[in-house]
Amino acid sequence: MASLVFSCFIIFLVSVTTVQSARQFHVGDHLGWRQPDQNNTAFYTQWAERNRFQIGDSLVFEYEKDSVLSVEKFDYFNCDTSEPITTFTNGKSTFNLDRSGPFYFISGTDDHCNHGQKLLVEVMAPHSIPASPPTTIAVPPEGSSPIMAPSDSPYSSDSVDQATSSSTMVLASSFLSTLITFGIVTMLAL
């Protein structure tokens, strides 16, 4: 019986802890990494905009008779292949997104970058909700009216109330689903 309770407790802990696994993105989906058609030079820009990249994800480039260069921002916008950060030439290359911020890629083949074979990936920063807004107490000057003006602060009471109710909803639904999972596992164990 003790091992059953322990097993249920472990399953409960696993279901409470949310782990988001890293994803592999195949650059260009079924087209892979190649020079886009003349009438579709924004192909890779549009592909990147359709996806959400997070730290730990990776990009898989598949290509033939081409290469992938990881470059600085200036080199990306000028299609300069002379000083890449990293060069991939093996036909199937994986690049790990290990930090938030922009990553710039261009083709190493002459003129491919100028014809749209370049990719800018923006990796999202981890999102956190502040525990509590900073407290500021404004004392009106003597002789002024007690009427208060609306706050321009991002921590105004409306935004804090929305963030608090949002996080409360997420926690409540997470707790409820965890409780249901625990109940089901416990009933199956009996």
Side-chain angles (χ1 to χ4, degrees), residues 22-82:
R23 296 178 52 196
Q24 276 195 337
F25 291 90
H26 291 270
V27 175
D29 295 326
H30 66 281
L31 294 177
W33 181 246
R34 63 178 183 84
Q35 182 178 337
D37 297 330
Q38 282 182 324
N39 58 352
N40 197 13
T41 58
F43 175 77
Y44 292 106
T45 301
Q46 293 165 350
W47 178 85
E49 289 172 350
R50 285 192 307 268
N51 293 293
R52 296 291 171 255
F53 306 99
Q54 297 185 17
I55 298 171
D57 290 346
S58 59
L59 302 175
V60 178
F61 293 86
E62 293 187 35
Y63 50 94
E64 294 178 13
K65 298 177 186 173
D66 205 334
S67 61
V68 181
L69 308 180
S70 168
V71 296
E72 297 290 338
K73 180 179 182 178
F74 179 83
D75 297 331
Y76 171 83
F77 286 106
N78 292 293
C79 292
D80 184 353
T81 61
S82 65

Side-chain angles (χ1 to χ4, degrees), residues 22 119 127 150 159 186 190:
L119 174 66
H127 180 70
S159 65
T186 304
L190 296 176

Side-chain angles (χ1 to χ4, degrees), residues 33 59 61 63 66-73 75-76 80-90 92-99 102-109 119:
W33 181 246
L59 302 175
F61 293 86
Y63 50 94
D66 205 334
S67 61
V68 181
L69 308 180
S70 168
V71 296
E72 297 290 338
K73 180 179 182 178
D75 297 331
Y76 171 83
D80 184 353
T81 61
S82 65
E83 296 181 39
I85 299 168
T86 310
T87 302
F88 298 101
T89 59
N90 67 355
K92 185 172 183 179
S93 307
T94 301
F95 186 90
N96 294 319
L97 303 172
D98 58 358
R99 60 172 172 77
F103 287 87
Y104 302 94
F105 303 94
I106 62 175
S107 170
T109 303
L119 174 66

Side-chain angles (χ1 to χ4, degrees), residues 127-148:
H127 180 70
S128 62
I129 297 174
S132 62
T135 54
T136 44
I137 300 173
V139 179
E142 284 187 42
S144 65
S145 169
I147 298 173
M148 298 177 73

